């Protein structure tokens, strides 16, 4: 375009020069005088033709310039569109990871103080797995809308891919943190239910915040620092936000160390089963034991499962760990008096293993333990993660003669659908409700326990209550109609067979109601 313009200018300039020259030399006057003096020469027609040709050239030039202008506009639009595609997420329309990375570079180049909020949805995968990708896509668009609605002027949201989002908050001045209130608003906005037709999704989000330049020397480090903070927020129970702190790096290092230790511990056989008795509430008779993992370290320390099961689960060691504990448990309890059933816990990731039932069967065959004496406890999130495979595994375990309990009922989705869709044999009420039975404001807890028990009974499923710490609670549960129970009152988890405890005396105070 500039070339065409230059040409036009040149032609116009030339025309003016020629005109001036003609004016100066009075050429026109001379030509007209000559034409007038020689009327037979036809030179007047020639001049007319020349003038018309010049006009034609001028019209052509203007049209050409117009055409060029249109082509240039189209090219600029195409360029804009390519840029938009390269820097935006097509699903939500938000700028993408590349755009964020350039924004961070820009901040670094101009030493502009900024805060970065990283957001990660908490249960998005479940929605995607159960309701399909179309549903997941709609949810992500709605998430993007809520994020943008929470922003103040100057704050910009990005989608980094999957269920990860980010917001750049400019202008962190001194100790003032603009990102903190924003992160609070975001976590809150995303914890509200999402309605989609007749469905309601409950997801939630965790957020991590890092500040440049306080928390990180450059643009790559700020992303990492925010990620570390996000990880801390998730680890601390999700649905919350955390600002980066240098100690967090130490925590991550500690975790990596723990992972190594667990690996070594599994290889060295440091994981052991402990057994907690499960009793019939009314008679106090022991009917089985729950197998609970304990880590007996070489240095004499004993570590409880909450400190290693989640890590073993994440780093892919859970299967090996559980199978080795099961093997020891089978060997140790095989000849216990009364032939009690042993109940062990399976984590959600284990239930996704297609070969799980074959692996369990191999352990039972090796140890000569009858499958009918095996009970398996699974939580609802295990079913949600992959219902089809869960069903397959559960059915093949049941075919062996094992029984299946739904563990921690009341804490998760507590869905009737889950209860009915899979062939459970028993429900376990989570110990948080049982604990509350013993407290001052326990009318609510009692209502919940009654509700769960009557729901279970309407499906003809017996109920086990866990976490019973006193005779009073045991009696109350028996009166409500709970069949079996476990807890420190009846016996703590220990490495060998427990002595049966005395009856709790429900027979006298309300056996009729319990029976
Ligand atoms: P859970 O399945 O809910 O197991 C019951 C937990 O309640 C056990 O904690 C037990 O020691 C504790 N408990 C029992 N009676 C009482 C009581 O009267 N009061 C109180 N406050 N607590 C009581 P533990 O042994 O620390 O295990 C924690 C969780 O770790 C278990 O919860 C289970 O989900 C998991 N876990 C344990 N062993 C294994 C395993 O071998 N594999 C898998 N996947 N998970 C396991
Ligand atoms: Ca359990
Ligand atoms: Ca439980």
């Amino acid at each position: 375009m500039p070339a065409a313009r230059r040409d036009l200018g040149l032609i116009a300039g030339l025309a003016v020069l020629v005109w001036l020259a003609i004016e100066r030399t009075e050429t026109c006057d001379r030509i007209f005088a000559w034409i007038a003096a020689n009327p037979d020469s036809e030179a007047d027609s020639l001049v007319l033709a020349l003038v018309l040709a010049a006009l034609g050239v001028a019209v052509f030039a203007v049209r050409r310039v117009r055409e060029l202008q249109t082509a240039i506009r189209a090219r600029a639009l195409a360029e804009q569109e390519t840029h938009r595609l390269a820097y935006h997420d097509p699903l939500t329309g938000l700028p993408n990871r590349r755009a964020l990375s350039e924004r961070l570079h820009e901040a670094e180049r101009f030493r502009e103080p900024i805060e970065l909020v990283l957001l990660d949805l908490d249960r998005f995968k479940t929605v995607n797995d159960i309701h399909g990708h179309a549903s997941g896509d709609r949810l992500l668009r709605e998430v993007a809308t809520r994020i943008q609605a929470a922003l103040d002027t100057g704050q910009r949201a990005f989608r980094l891919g999957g269920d990860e989002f980010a917001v750049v908050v400019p202008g962190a001045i001194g100790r003032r943190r603009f990102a903190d209130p924003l992160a609070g608003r975001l976590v809150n906005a995303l914890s509200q239910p999402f309605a989609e037709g007749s469905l309601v999704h409950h997801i939630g989000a965790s957020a991590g915040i890092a500040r440049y330049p306080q928390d990180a020397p450059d643009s790559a480090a700020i992303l990492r620092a925010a990620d570390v903070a996000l990880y801390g927020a998730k680890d601390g129970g999700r649905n919350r936000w955390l600002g980066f702190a240098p100690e967090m790096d130490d925590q991550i290092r500690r975790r990596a160390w723990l992972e190594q230790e667990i690996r070594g511990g599994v290889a060295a056989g440091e994981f052991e089963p402990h057994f907690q008795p499960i009793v019939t509430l009314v008679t106090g008779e022991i009917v089985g034991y729950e197998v609970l993992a304990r880590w007996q370290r070489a240095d004499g320390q004993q570590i409880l499962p909450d400190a290693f099961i989640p890590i073993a689960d994440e780093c892919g060691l859970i299967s090996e760990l559980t199978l080795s504990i099961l093997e020891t448990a089978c060997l140790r309890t095989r000849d216990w008096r009364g032939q009690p059933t042993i109940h062990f816990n399976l984590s959600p990731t284990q239930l996704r293993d297609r070969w799980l039932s074959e692996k369990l069967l191999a352990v039972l065959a090796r140890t000569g333990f009858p499958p009918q004496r095996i009970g398996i406890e699974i939580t609802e999130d295990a079913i949600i993660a992959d219902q089809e495979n869960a069903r397959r595994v559960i059915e093949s375990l049941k075919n062996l003669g094992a029984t299946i309990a739904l563990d921690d009922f009341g804490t998760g989705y507590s869905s009737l659908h889950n209860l009915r869709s899979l062939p459970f044999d028993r429900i376990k009420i989570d110990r948080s409700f049982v604990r509350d039975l013993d407290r001052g404001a326990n009318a609510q807890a009692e209502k919940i326990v009654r509700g769960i028990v009557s729901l279970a009974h309407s499906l003809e499923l017996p109920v086990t209550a866990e976490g019973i710490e006193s005779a009073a609670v045991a009696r109350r549960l028996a009166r409500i109609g709970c069949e079996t129970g476990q807890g420190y009152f009846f016996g703590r988890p220990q490495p060998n067979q427990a002595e049966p405890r005395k009856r709790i005396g429900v027979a006298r105070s309300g056996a009729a109601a319990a029976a």
Side-chain angles (χ1 to χ4, degrees):
M1 182 61 197
R5 247 190 218 141
R6 208 173 45 231
D7 290 354
L8 199 67
L10 220 72
I11 289 168
L14 210 66
V16 170
L17 280 179
V18 169
W19 177 70
L20 280 177
I22 289 171
E23 264 302 292
R24 277 278 166 83
T25 53
E26 298 182 333
T27 311
C28 271
D29 294 350
R30 281 195 210 153
I31 289 172
F32 287 129
W34 185 83
I35 290 171
N38 303 281
D40 300 333
S41 67
E42 302 291 336
D44 49 351
S45 309
L46 186 68
V47 168
L48 193 66
L50 280 174
V51 168
L52 285 178
L55 272 175
V57 167
V59 169
F60 173 76
V62 168
R63 289 188 57 147
R64 189 79 194 106
V65 167
R66 283 252 172 90
E67 259 173 40
L68 276 170
Q69 271 174 339
T70 318
I72 284 153
R73 263 199 297 273
R75 196 167 75 198
L77 278 179
E79 240 165 53
Q80 258 175 30
E81 181 62 10
T82 323
H83 184 274
R84 205 182 60 76
L85 287 177
Y87 285 87
H88 284 80
D89 160 47
L91 180 68
T92 60
L94 290 179
N96 60 11
R97 183 181 285 275
R98 178 192 276 184
L100 175 66
S101 140
E102 291 202 357
R103 177 67 183 86
L104 297 179
H105 271 118
E106 186 185 296
E108 186 186 344
R109 194 160 57 242
F110 298 108
R111 299 273 309 157
E112 173 199 357
I114 56 161
E115 289 167 289
L116 174 68
V117 182
L118 270 193
L119 267 172
D120 193 283
L121 304 183
D122 283 337
R123 277 173 296 276
F124 173 70
K125 205 182 152 334
T126 313
V127 174
N128 225 19
D129 287 350
I130 296 179
H131 301 291
H133 290 286
S135 216
D137 284 356
R138 274 191 291 276
L139 187 59
L140 286 172
R141 273 196 289 264
E142 178 58 26
V143 165
T145 308
R146 286 195 194 176
I147 291 176
Q148 289 204 285
L151 301 186
D152 274 335
T153 34
Q155 305 178 342
R156 196 160 156 228
F158 299 79
R159 178 174 174 225
L160 308 187
D163 58 353
E164 264 193 348
F165 294 82
V167 179
V168 170
V169 180
I173 304 162
R175 295 193 150 274
R176 282 193 65 185
R177 287 186 154 223
F178 297 102
D180 292 9
L182 171 67
R185 285 202 300 279
L186 289 171
V187 168
N188 182 40
L190 299 175
S191 70
Q192 308 302 319
F194 289 80
E196 185 199 353
S198 60
L199 295 173
V200 179
H201 305 301
H202 293 268
I203 51 169
S206 308
I209 304 172
R211 294 192 297 168
Y212 173 79
Q214 295 91 325
D215 295 335
D218 57 42
S219 57
I222 182 176
L223 205 57
R224 209 187 74 81
D227 211 29
V228 166
L230 171 62
Y231 183 87
K234 282 200 170 273
D235 215 33
R238 293 161 190 264
N239 229 351
R240 54 195 224 124
W241 62 268
L242 265 186
F244 174 83
E247 312 82 80
M248 289 177 177
D249 261 342
D250 300 342
Q251 277 170 20
I252 286 185
R253 266 192 287 277
R254 196 184 130 66
R255 199 185 157 94
W257 171 82
L258 201 58
E259 191 179 315
Q260 277 308 314
E261 290 288 294
I262 294 174
R263 226 172 264 284
V266 171
E270 290 177 0
F271 292 89
E272 284 236 319
H274 275 210
F275 303 90
Q276 183 174 39
I278 300 175
V279 308
T280 302
L281 283 182
V282 177
T283 63
E285 177 202 0
I286 296 177
V287 287
Y289 291 86
E290 178 168 2
V291 179
L292 294 159
R294 295 291 180 266
W295 184 6
Q296 210 62 58
R297 283 170 57 91
D299 60 11
Q301 255 193 90
Q302 188 187 76
I303 300 180
L304 292 176
D306 288 342
F308 59 83
I309 293 283
I311 299 173
D313 212 9
E314 266 172 41
C315 65
L317 284 167
I318 191 75
S319 175
E320 207 180 324
L321 194 151
T322 309
L323 291 174
S324 94
I325 287 172
L326 178 68
E327 179 145 0
T328 315
C330 287
L331 286 173
R332 202 175 295 168
T333 60
R334 192 181 51 203
D335 303 320
W336 279 5
R337 59 177 182 280
Q339 305 281 295
T341 304
I342 62 167
H343 302 267
F344 66 96
N345 298 281
L346 286 182
S347 79
T349 39
Q350 285 184 278
L351 224 61
R352 266 178 245 148
D353 178 353
R354 303 210 161 255
W355 300 103
L356 180 67
S357 50
E358 285 78 1
K359 289 177 184 167
L360 296 177
L361 191 60
V363 172
L364 299 183
R366 248 199 322 275
T367 56
F369 196 91
Q372 303 76 23
R373 280 178 58 196
I374 290 286
I376 283 156
E377 303 191 351
I378 57 180
T379 52
E380 272 184 300
D381 37 341
I383 307 163
I384 295 284
D386 183 349
Q387 181 136 24
E388 260 329 290
N389 198 50
R391 172 188 299 285
R392 225 180 57 85
V393 171
I394 288 174
E395 276 168 0
S396 55
L397 291 171
K398 284 202 66 151
N399 285 341
L400 299 178
T403 57
I404 316 287
L406 185 54
D407 204 357
D408 297 348
F409 193 76
T411 55
Y413 308 83
S414 306
S415 111
L416 187 58
H417 171 75
N418 289 336
L419 255 183
R420 285 182 26 183
S421 63
L422 293 165
F424 290 109
D425 299 289
R426 203 159 55 96
I427 288 181
K428 291 189 83 169
I429 302 185
D430 190 67
R431 65 177 181 274
S432 55
F433 304 114
V434 175
R435 183 191 60 206
D436 289 348
L437 277 182
D438 218 3
R439 302 205 163 161
N442 54 20
Q444 189 69 15
E446 174 144 353
K447 270 190 205 147
I448 293 172
V449 173
R450 276 188 192 283
I452 295 176
V453 170
S454 73
L455 174 64
H457 286 177
S458 70
L459 297 168
E460 298 180 338
L461 298 175
V463 181
T464 302
E466 52 181 30
I468 303 172
E469 296 188 1
S470 69
V473 168
R475 260 185 235 117
R476 261 175 102 170
L477 285 162
R479 274 191 221 110
I480 291 171
C482 217
E483 285 83 1
T484 48
Q486 66 187 94
Y488 296 165
F489 173 69
F490 295 108
R492 287 183 181 255
Q494 55 181 57
N496 33 45
Q497 187 161 28
E499 288 308 318
R501 275 188 81 102
K502 295 178 297 291
R503 301 160 64 96
I504 52 170
V506 193
R508 258 171 288 127
S509 46

